[in-house]
Amino acid sequence: RFTIYEITLQNQEPNVEFLNRREDLDGFRRAYRGALGAIVSDHGGLEQIMLFPAAPAPIAIACGQEIMPKAHPTLTIYDNVKGIFLRAITVNSKEDL
C-alpha cells in the first residue's frame, strides 16, 4: 500500500520558469519540510520515502539538503528516463550512518 503526497504550485500552472526568485526556493523548502513532517507523523516507523520529482535542479538539491539524518527515513529519488522510472540516488540510507 502506498500513500502519495504532492507538492505543486499554487494559483498557477506548473512551468519551467516559475523559480525566479530566492523567495520561490525558500517557499518550496518550507512546503517540503512541512510535507516531510506530515509523512513522518502519518507513517511512524517509515523506512523509505520514494521521490519522483518533476522540478528544476535547485529544488532537487534542496530535497536532499532538507533531510535530517536522525529524523527522516531514507530518501530514494527516481528519474524518468524515456518513460521508465529508474532509481537515481539514495540519500540518508541507514547503512551510511
Side-chain angles (χ1 to χ4, degrees), residues 33-44:
R33 283 192 300 265
L36 285 173
I39 291 167
V40 169
S41 176
D42 293 348
H43 307 281

Side-chain angles (χ1 to χ4, degrees), residues 9-21:
L9 296 171
Q10 193 172 24
N11 301 323
Q12 65 177 310
E13 290 293 319
N15 63 78
V16 296
E17 298 177 355
F18 80 93
L19 194 62
N20 292 319
R21 303 170 300 153

